[in-house]
Amino acid sequence: MVWVVGFQQQRRHRRALAVATAAAATLVLVGCQARPGDAPIAEDPTPTQTQPTTAPDRADRTITIGVSEFNAGFNPHLLTTDPTFATVVADLILPSAFREDVDGELKMDADLLKSVDASETDAGAQKVRYVIRPDAQWSDGTPVSGNDFEYLWQSMRQNTGVRNAIGYEAIKDVHVSGGGRIVDVTFTNAFPNWRILFNHLLPSHTYRTAGTAFTDVMHESIPVSGGRYTVESLDIGRNDLVLVRNDRFSGAHPAATEILKFREVTSDQHGAELLRTEQAQVVSVRPGTVTNTALRTVPKVTAQTTRPPAQLQLDFNVSSTELGSAKDRGIIAEKLDISTLATIVAGRTAPPVPKPLPHTDAATQPAESTTQSSTEQSPTHNAPTRFSRPLRIAYPQGNSQAGVAAATISDQLNSQDIAAEAVAANRRDLYAGYLPAGTIDMTVTWQWQPDSVTSLVSQYLCPPRTRSAIEVEEPTSSEETETETSSEPSTTTAEDTTEPEETTTADTTFGRGSNTSGLCNPSVDKLLLGALRTETDSANLKKELAPLLADEVVTVPLLSDEWLTATTDGVVSGTEKDPKKWPQHAQTGLFVTAPQWKRTTDG
């Protein structure tokens, strides 16, 4: 994905004398009225020889941010969105209870909250009271309220395909009082990591009232915002997103630049040309073969490499009718050439490849029998199992890199006489239908690397019984037209009164979240739940989980995320001109300071 930040050259057209005279007369008549926002200025393909020296036009108030594509949507809570890019945009337009600073510490966001108080209930459970600032509001003037907290809680625990929902699943009740400004959140048990919750709140009065499916939220439109910026326009087909300074933002530090425009940039060469012609001040790109050379060659450019903690990964479906056995999954995992696959997806040699998860010897032996697969087993060591149908590798529609990875995995398996096909699936059907039904065998998605306790719990704890599955037609390998249903999946819940069984069985009743594989291992669950309720170190938890996950063979890391960010002297962050001194966030890199970016007068 390519990022370009810069200034689009636009031309101020001269008006005819009669029009100018009429406009001046109109201004006299309405001089006492409120001034509307400036009208958009159309682009002129011809170069402008001179620029006006009076009242700066829209281009002078704009920083343009170019991307290769973003048709996977912007909802940061969905697995189908690009986690890094969606987080960059969400940080700019959505309010959060807590925000992580550049040192990784979670701090209360005083732009939204007046206070937060955590305590224990009489039964020993966790309770947190959030008091919302009386002036906190959405861009349409609606106050931010406890209803927004309650909406996110319900959406994260009831919908499929959501990212890192474990904390919301631990909540027993959300009670709103004080005219909507006081929110009391009660957990079933102690939950030390409660500060990670209610990040990127969504406007319940917009999406709930309209009956918008959670899978459609922030996909083709973003009608209301609550951060430093709000959305002026969004065109998914053209990859064009325009953010404007949110005049209703009540925080102490509003955005420094009036307009941020995201637009499509087609290649590294295009990005370099924008820098070279001073139309762009920053290019941030997942680098290809010549990206580093192309951008660093441009004069007055400072380039830096960052690695957000996201990775493209393959997850096996334990409910698969073909790969229900860990031994069969191990065989498939051993057939993959990850280095070659990562090179193809990244478009360059030696891209960053995550450390592979270990597999036990037993996991690579052909299975003698399975309860979920109607396969005929081969008697030779590591020989391919003959399956009843081609293996299906699904990826979310709109995610091009995941699509390339799925197609490459299919090619590698087919070349070894294992029939396989890549399948593009829409957001709702994939997690609510195909995976629980077992008709999809593997998925390829971008996820945050499971390094923290909560991310490990989200990705490997047995899926909760709060997400209902749906019936869908058999998936096909051809590209499907994205026709998302406008209704929410059923929110009917089932009581989870039984302990997980020792062997995993296909479950067509409950949908999937971050635990895309559907893994249900009692020993894994015991470790994860214990860590979730204490201050267990994530490194120790990973060490204890390693042999158990090796036996299950559910995840294969494919490609680590990486950005190369080239910055010219045409933009500053606050008063700092040197990009190497700009603060950087682990997830969003230099974009953590985007609200402070300004054009330089000499750039």
Side-chain angles (χ1 to χ4, degrees):
M1 178 171 294
V2 180
W3 300 82
V4 178
V5 180
F7 308 117
Q8 186 180 14
Q9 300 294 325
Q10 295 186 358
R11 181 183 179 187
R12 181 182 297 276
H13 298 284
R14 297 182 178 179
R15 298 179 181 272
L17 178 60
V19 175
T21 303
T26 302
L27 287 174
V28 171
L29 291 174
V30 299
C32 297
Q33 299 179 14
R35 292 185 60 190
D38 294 334
I41 300 174
E43 293 187 39
D44 192 324
T46 60
T48 301
Q49 299 299 319
T50 61
Q51 296 293 333
T53 57
T54 59
D57 64 11
R58 187 179 174 92
D60 294 329
R61 296 177 278 117
T62 301
I63 292 178
T64 300
I65 304 172
V67 297
S68 56
E69 64 180 2
F70 50 70
N71 56 10
F74 298 95
N75 188 340
H77 303 293
L78 295 180
L79 290 168
T80 51
T81 59
D82 181 311
T84 304
F85 178 44
T87 300
V88 167
V89 176
D91 282 352
L92 294 170
I93 66 175
L94 296 177
S96 295
F98 282 75
R99 292 187 185 271
E100 185 178 273
D101 62 19
V102 294
D103 296 322
E105 182 179 353
L106 285 166
K107 295 182 178 179
M108 187 192 80
D109 191 342
D111 294 333
L112 173 68
L113 299 177
K114 183 178 180 180
S115 65
V116 179
D117 179 57
S119 60
E120 290 187 2
T121 66
D122 294 338
Q126 189 88 29
K127 184 176 182 179
V128 181
R129 166 167 287 192
Y130 302 85
V131 179
I132 303 172
R133 284 177 49 148
D135 56 349
Q137 57 186 314
W138 296 100
S139 57
D140 62 356
T142 302
V144 178
S145 74
N147 293 331
D148 303 314
F149 283 70
E150 189 268 343
Y151 170 72
L152 185 58
W153 167 52
Q154 292 287 4
S155 298
M156 293 295 285
R157 67 188 297 269
Q158 293 174 348
N159 284 276
T160 59
V162 292
R163 192 188 305 278
N164 288 341
I166 187 63
Y168 298 97
E169 293 157 1
I171 294 175
K172 180 180 180 181
D173 179 64
V174 174
H175 178 71
V176 181
S177 61
R181 296 295 183 174
I182 300 176
V183 188
D184 290 306
V185 177
T186 304
F187 296 85
T188 304
N189 298 289
F191 186 70
N193 297 320
W194 57 270
R195 291 176 181 81
I196 68 170
L197 302 177
F198 303 109
N199 188 39
H200 299 142
L201 289 171
L202 300 169
S204 62
H205 70 283
T206 297
Y207 296 121
R208 176 182 280 162
T209 302
T212 306
F214 197 66
T215 52
D216 290 337
V217 167
M218 297 179 67
H219 183 63
E220 293 186 349
S221 67
I222 308 175
V224 180
S225 306
R228 286 179 170 81
Y229 286 93
T230 188
V231 178
E232 180 181 79
S233 64
L234 169 61
D235 188 333
I236 285 288
R238 297 179 60 187
N239 288 306
D240 188 274
L241 170 68
V242 179
L243 306 182
V244 296
R245 185 189 292 121
N246 182 6
D247 292 335
R248 295 185 183 273
F249 178 71
S250 58
H253 303 287
T257 294
E258 184 172 343
I259 302 167
L260 297 181
K261 180 178 180 181
F262 293 80
R263 53 162 290 190
E264 184 174 21
V265 173
T266 57
S267 67
D268 296 338
Q269 292 77 10
H270 184 201
E273 179 66 15
L274 290 175
L275 291 173
R276 186 177 301 111
T277 57
E278 299 183 357
Q279 297 179 71
Q281 279 61 55
V282 179
V283 171
S284 189
V285 51
R286 281 176 172 144
T289 302
V290 300
T291 306
N292 189 53
T293 302
L295 299 186
R296 289 179 186 270
T297 301
V298 180
K300 300 181 180 180
V301 163
T302 301
Q304 303 175 71
T305 298
T306 58
R307 292 188 175 181
Q311 66 182 20
L312 191 66
Q313 66 185 48
L314 172 72
D315 290 300
F316 289 101
N317 181 16
V318 300
S319 298
S320 163
T321 57
E322 305 298 315
L323 296 179
S325 164
K327 294 179 180 179
D328 286 339
R329 297 194 293 270
I331 292 173
I332 298 302
E334 292 294 323
K335 296 294 181 182
L336 303 179
D337 182 347
I338 303 303
S339 178
T340 298
L341 185 148
T343 297
I344 293 173
V345 174
R348 65 188 177 98
T349 57
V353 179
K355 183 179 180 181
L357 295 177
H359 305 307
T360 61
D361 292 338
T364 60
Q365 299 287 342
E368 297 179 0
S369 62
T370 66
T371 57
Q372 296 183 35
S373 177
S374 57
T375 59
E376 181 181 349
Q377 308 298 333
S378 172
T380 59
H381 177 68
N382 273 4
T385 304
R386 290 189 289 273
F387 300 104
S388 63
R389 58 165 174 76
L391 298 180
R392 296 176 180 133
I393 308 105
Y395 64 94
Q397 286 178 335
N399 193 320
S400 61
Q401 287 187 311
V404 171
T408 303
I409 291 170
S410 173
D411 290 342
Q412 290 187 355
L413 294 178
N414 280 303
S415 67
Q416 299 177 77
D417 297 324
I418 301 176
E421 57 189 15
V423 177
N426 70 47
R427 300 182 295 279
R428 182 174 178 232
D429 289 352
L430 178 57
Y431 299 101
Y434 296 142
L435 286 173
T439 54
I440 287 294
D441 308 296
M442 296 167 262
T443 58
V444 180
T445 55
W446 281 98
Q447 290 216 41
W448 294 119
Q449 293 179 12
D451 287 334
S452 69
V453 170
T454 51
S455 63
L456 286 164
V457 174
S458 290
Q459 291 197 34
Y460 298 116
L461 185 69
C462 187
R465 302 324 200 216
T466 56
R467 299 188 181 92
S468 298
I470 59 175
E471 292 185 5
V472 292
E473 296 180 357
E474 191 79 359
T476 61
S477 59
S478 61
E479 284 287 338
E480 301 175 15
T481 301
E482 183 134 341
T483 54
E484 302 285 350
T485 179
S486 61
S487 61
E488 289 280 7
S490 169
T491 58
T492 303
T493 61
E495 292 295 330
D496 184 14
T497 57
T498 59
E499 292 294 325
E501 297 180 4
E502 290 297 331
T503 57
T504 305
T505 58
D507 193 338
T508 61
T509 305
F510 306 110
R512 303 286 171 79
S514 286
N515 184 352
T516 305
S517 70
L519 176 67
C520 277
N521 182 304
S523 298
V524 170
D525 289 351
K526 183 178 179 180
L527 278 175
L528 293 174
L529 289 174
L532 191 66
R533 296 165 185 169
T534 63
E535 298 291 344
T536 300
D537 180 76
S538 60
N540 291 334
L541 177 60
K542 290 181 70 174
K543 185 177 181 180
E544 292 183 83
L545 284 174
L548 297 174
L549 296 177
D551 287 339
E552 293 288 357
V553 194
V554 291
T555 301
V556 179
L558 304 176
L559 178 67
S560 294
D561 203 4
E562 184 177 69
W563 290 4
L564 176 65
T565 303
T567 310
T568 71
D569 58 0
V571 65
V572 297
S573 178
T575 60
E576 181 55 62
K577 295 182 178 181
D578 185 357
K580 290 187 176 181
K581 296 180 180 179
W582 294 2
Q584 294 195 28
H585 187 267
Q587 293 182 344
T588 60
L590 296 176
F591 286 90
V592 69
T593 65
Q596 303 169 31
W597 290 352
K598 295 181 294 185
R599 294 182 65 169
T600 61
T601 57
D602 57 351

